Amino acid sequence: MAISAFLPVYNEEKRIKDTLESLIWCDEIILVDKNSSDRTVEIAKSFGKKVKVFFMNNSLAYDSSEWNVFLDNCSCEWTILFTASDVIHPKLVEKITELIDKKDFNYDIINIPFRRYILGLESKRSPWYSELSPKIVKKSSIIIDKTGVHNAAQFIGNCFNLKNSDEFSMYHLTHETVDIMMERHIRYWRGEANNNEVSLNKSAITVLKEFVKIIFIRKTFLMGKNGIMLMFAYLSYYMMAYVYKWEKSQGNSSNEYMRIRSVILNDWKSTNKS
């Protein structure tokens, strides 16, 4: 059974070679480049016709239309969802291909072992930890939510869970530096604020729920200083998402500052006349 890889990228010349070598087993790689200014596309094209390059603008806020580019150009029934942060172990690939090649495999989604590293750290106490993740999905099972950010793509169908493995996994090696983390988060925050269904109440409740999760369920603080850092980094995302949504729906700083400046300048004019 054929499989397509979805790979959205922007200025990934340092990582794109390793990423593509990890996907070379796929039948096609749909690379959606957001007008990179470095050698990303040049390197990608060096892998031959298997890598099909498509372009879209790199918006200031997250734009879920990258999924439409992929779905419009994907020719295989099965897909693997990838980023430049990802690499996958060959033993896991063997298990995946064995499953999708079975004629009697009546599933639409395969949850695979997934190791998510944040700033070089991965732990079962990490707020981002997950044993399995739905990364192998039939094209027909992908539903796009245009207002979504992290949940822009939703998957509908029967799920098959591969046995968890600490070694034979897909590795998500993201946020190599704090600066990179903040740059990416800003795009996500803007994307969340652009959602027409912004709810400050729901956003505030989400912050509280995530706080409870990392304190009382994951107990991330037991990781020591590393855990405290991960807690702060994790919660800051949801807290700043609230701030961006507040600014979008209720912020009025420009008008307020203009009013104050106008009042003060008028007072200066009155003082000068006298």
Side-chain angles (χ1 to χ4, degrees), residues 114-130:
F114 193 72
R115 304 277 76 82
R116 186 182 281 107
Y117 283 75
I118 307 293
L119 291 169
L121 300 174
E122 197 262 356
S123 167
K124 290 183 178 180
R125 295 203 179 278
S126 169
W128 285 275
Y129 178 78
S130 61

Side-chain angles (χ1 to χ4, degrees), residues 2-274:
I3 186 168
S4 299
F6 174 34
L7 180 60
V9 296
Y10 175 70
N11 284 351
E12 293 289 358
E13 66 177 7
K14 294 181 179 179
R15 303 191 296 178
I16 192 65
K17 183 175 181 293
D18 292 342
T19 303
L20 289 172
E21 287 181 350
S22 188
L23 287 173
I24 205 66
W25 57 278
C26 296
D27 295 276
E28 66 177 8
I29 301 168
I30 307 298
L31 186 144
V32 181
D33 182 78
K34 302 173 184 180
N35 282 324
S36 295
S37 58
D38 63 2
R39 297 179 59 246
T40 297
V41 173
E42 176 188 342
I43 296 170
K45 288 183 176 180
S46 71
F47 278 76
K49 294 182 179 179
K50 181 174 286 192
V51 179
K52 301 176 181 179
V53 180
F54 299 89
F55 297 94
M56 64 176 287
N57 291 328
N58 186 38
S59 57
L60 293 176
Y62 176 79
D63 184 354
S64 62
S65 62
E66 63 186 34
W67 283 94
N68 294 324
V69 176
F70 169 62
L71 293 176
D72 289 345
N73 294 284
C74 171
S75 62
C76 299
E77 180 179 8
W78 283 98
T79 69
I80 179 169
L81 311 177
F82 232 68
T83 72
S85 298
D86 299 326
V87 289
I88 188 169
H89 197 284
K91 292 293 184 182
L92 176 56
V93 170
E94 289 179 11
K95 294 180 180 179
I96 292 169
T97 54
E98 180 182 338
L99 286 175
I100 65 177
D101 283 342
K102 289 182 178 179
K103 293 183 179 181
D104 60 346
F105 185 69
N106 298 316
Y107 292 89
D108 307 290
I109 304 160
I110 304 177
N111 292 313
I112 64 173
F114 193 72
R115 304 277 76 82
R116 186 182 281 107
Y117 283 75
I118 307 293
L119 291 169
L121 300 174
E122 197 262 356
S123 167
K124 290 183 178 180
R125 295 203 179 278
S126 169
W128 285 275
Y129 178 78
S130 61
E131 288 188 353
L132 303 175
S133 184
K135 295 298 180 182
I136 311 296
V137 184
K138 281 186 176 179
K139 178 181 176 180
S140 58
S141 297
I142 302 175
I143 306 298
I144 305 303
D145 177 3
K146 293 182 179 179
T147 65
V149 178
H150 293 289
N151 60 343
Q154 300 175 13
F155 312 131
I156 308 299
N158 298 324
C159 294
F160 180 87
N161 293 335
L162 273 174
K163 183 179 179 181
N164 186 38
S165 170
D166 290 335
E167 181 182 2
F168 304 151
S169 302
M170 180 171 168
Y171 293 81
H172 187 64
L173 313 176
T174 191
H175 303 328
E176 194 167 337
T177 68
V178 176
D179 279 348
I180 291 173
M181 173 186 277
M182 291 298 101
E183 289 170 4
R184 291 174 182 170
H185 280 185
I186 287 173
R187 290 190 70 243
Y188 288 131
W189 290 329
R190 288 171 177 160
E192 295 208 28
N194 287 338
N195 186 346
N196 293 326
E197 300 176 0
V198 167
S199 170
L200 289 179
N201 289 337
K202 288 182 179 179
S203 185
I205 291 172
T206 297
V207 173
L208 295 175
K209 285 182 176 179
E210 297 301 328
F211 177 81
V212 170
K213 182 183 82 172
I214 64 176
I215 294 294
F216 298 103
I217 300 176
R218 292 284 172 86
K219 298 181 179 179
T220 307
F221 60 88
L222 293 178
M223 293 175 62
K225 292 180 180 179
N226 289 344
I228 293 173
M229 181 279 293
L230 289 175
M231 288 169 53
F232 288 171
Y234 186 77
L235 284 177
S236 70
Y237 178 86
Y238 293 98
M239 295 167 72
M240 287 304 299
Y242 180 95
V243 174
Y244 269 75
K245 291 175 183 178
W246 172 89
E247 181 182 51
K248 183 74 172 184
S249 62
Q250 298 187 24
N252 191 39
S253 59
S254 295
N255 291 333
E256 179 63 10
Y257 292 167
M258 188 180 299
R259 183 193 65 80
I260 294 171
R261 288 189 176 98
S262 178
V263 170
I264 299 301
L265 289 174
N266 285 334
D267 287 346
W268 271 106
K269 289 177 183 179
S270 299
T271 300
N272 292 333
K273 287 181 180 179
S274 62

